[in-house]
Amino acid sequence: MIAEKQIYDDIILEIKNQNPIPVLYTNMYTSCIVAIMILSYFSSVLFTVWLAYEVFEKTRVCKFESCSIDSYIFGPTYEYGALAIMLGTLVYFLYRSTDWPYVKDRVFIVLTLILVGTALSGSTVNWLKSAHDPLAETIYDIKDSIKLALPWRNNLANVSAYNHKLKPLVGVVENSTVNNLILDMPLKQKINLFYEDNYPENQKPRVGTRAVVQIKLINNALYVESAEEL
């Protein structure tokens, strides 16, 4: 009993000698945790959106050409999916390190992150499919810039371009006249295509819309074979 009382007294003395953590430090620490969680979560959602849109875009492109299984394996940037999972996992562990509500309910936290992320991703993908404003184009450019910055993705794109020179093009219709179609491609690249005289007027994509265009080569000039708005 005497030994136990001595241990108890030593613990009490040690606690008394500890200085309390300043409130400012606690608030700054909490604010940093919240900021990292919000940034990581919305980044995870954004990567999910980019991957989902690329899969959607690939399904539309494959209506114009014969796509093998490797087109779906290597075409969309699945690295975005891996990054989304990593950032979502980081948010989960950061929340679990706090004393906030439901912190012990692991299944509830995971389901909440997935359901909210799915809702945000779905609504954002739908917005990207219908929006053709500068903000949407900036998001597309950032997505493509990151994709082409990956060394293996850059090499894959070069090989694909070499083997399939007339593969469908995806971009925003900058101008569409009787004879010409100007397509604004990713990373601010523009390409000028021609319409044949008998090309149906009602099948020409509208200005400002995002479209997938199948091209063909006639007399060393690129012509529109078919086009569909995304």
Side-chain angles (χ1 to χ4, degrees), residues 41 91-92 95-96 100-117:
Y41 189 66
V91 174
Y92 168 80
Y95 192 90
R96 289 273 296 162
W100 298 344
Y102 306 106
V103 70
K104 293 183 179 180
D105 299 326
R106 291 174 292 182
V107 176
F108 176 79
I109 297 172
V110 171
L111 289 178
T112 301
L113 291 175
I114 293 175
L115 291 176
V116 175

Side-chain angles (χ1 to χ4, degrees), residues 206-222:
R206 296 169 297 169
V207 174
T209 59
R210 180 169 289 271
V212 52
V213 180
Q214 177 63 58
I215 60 178
K216 59 183 177 180
L217 187 64
I218 302 177
N219 297 329
N220 294 324
L222 293 176

Side-chain angles (χ1 to χ4, degrees), residues 47-145:
F47 283 126
T48 304
V49 168
W50 283 343
L51 175 59
Y53 187 84
E54 287 207 355
V55 172
F56 159 76
E57 189 176 89
K58 175 58 66 174
T59 60
R60 302 298 290 271
V61 168
C62 286
K63 292 173 62 177
F64 290 80
E65 65 176 359
S66 178
C67 291
S68 56
I69 188 64
D70 63 310
S71 299
Y72 288 95
I73 295 176
F74 300 109
T77 314
Y78 290 105
E79 293 88 342
Y80 292 151
L83 288 171
I85 293 174
M86 289 172 58
L87 290 172
T89 304
L90 174 63
V91 174
Y92 168 80
F93 283 111
L94 284 176
Y95 192 90
R96 289 273 296 162
S97 67
T98 67
D99 57 353
W100 298 344
Y102 306 106
V103 70
K104 293 183 179 180
D105 299 326
R106 291 174 292 182
V107 176
F108 176 79
I109 297 172
V110 171
L111 289 178
T112 301
L113 291 175
I114 293 175
L115 291 176
V116 175
T118 301
L120 290 175
S121 300
S123 58
T124 306
V125 168
N126 288 331
W127 171 72
L128 280 178
K129 288 163 58 177
S130 59
H132 306 289
D133 51 39
L135 177 58
E137 295 309 314
T138 300
I139 293 176
Y140 286 122
D141 287 340
I142 295 174
K143 173 181 72 69
D144 292 326
S145 298

